Amino acid sequence: MLEGSQIAINSEVGQAGNISVIASESLTIDSNDSILPSQIIQSIREDATGAESQINIATPQLSLVNGGQITTRNFNTGSGADIEINAAKIQLDRSGGVFAQVTPDATGNGGNITVKTAELSVTRTGQLSTTTFGAGNAGSLTIDAAESIELSGA
């Protein structure tokens, strides 16, 4: 996925759906510093709920680079969607990241992020983050890295 491309669910009423991506060799999300990020995103708005909703990623190699994102955002009183990633190698580099957010006017809780990998590399402003800017709680962040975790700013 390159230069502003998106896979998205934008739920305004009812139960939000799931996004599942299964890539047999690799998945790269690279914004290439474009104005709009390349992303897989699920937004829970107004009267929708993300309870039991997920973004599921399964691939041997996942690269989120140059602002590429996997994101859930909760804008309302219901629960945010969860993100689950299963990949042997994960690279988050140059502002690439995985985010579960509660927006400023929301009162519902954010989604959880679960990462299962052998090798996790988070470099040069790459991020894994659950945050709240509203009244709801941020979700939990769970990382299961069987071999290594690399964190580097250089």
Side-chain angles (χ1 to χ4, degrees):
M1 297 179 57
L2 299 173
E3 299 178 358
S5 59
Q6 294 188 356
I7 297 172
I9 291 179
N10 187 9
S11 300
E12 296 193 21
V13 177
Q15 178 66 45
N18 296 318
I19 298 173
S20 294
V21 177
I22 300 168
S24 62
E25 294 181 22
S26 67
L27 173 61
T28 299
I29 303 176
D30 183 349
S31 291
N32 198 21
D33 299 321
S34 68
I35 295 171
L36 295 174
S38 294
Q39 62 185 338
I40 298 173
I41 184 167
Q42 187 164 41
S43 297
I44 311 300
R45 299 182 180 275
E46 298 169 18
D47 294 323
T49 181
E52 307 299 322
S53 295
Q54 291 188 332
I55 295 176
N56 296 300
I57 307 294
T59 187
Q61 184 167 329
L62 174 64
S63 298
L64 304 175
V65 296
N66 299 319
Q69 301 177 14
I70 298 172
T71 302
T72 65
R73 290 193 182 117
N74 188 4
F75 291 87
N76 70 14
T77 60
S79 298
D82 295 331
I83 299 172
E84 184 170 319
I85 298 172
N86 291 290
K89 292 184 179 184
I90 299 173
Q91 175 191 22
L92 309 176
D93 187 41
R94 296 184 183 240
S95 300
V98 181
F99 306 97
Q101 303 171 338
V102 177
T103 60
D105 293 330
T107 58
N109 295 329
N112 302 310
I113 299 174
T114 303
V115 175
K116 296 177 184 173
T117 187
E119 300 174 18
L120 174 62
S121 174
V122 183
T123 56
R124 297 181 287 191
T125 67
Q127 294 183 50
L128 277 166
S129 173
T130 64
T131 55
T132 183
F133 301 102
N137 296 319
S140 61
L141 172 60
T142 304
I143 300 170
D144 180 359
E147 294 178 19
S148 65
I149 296 176
E150 174 192 10
L151 303 174
S152 174

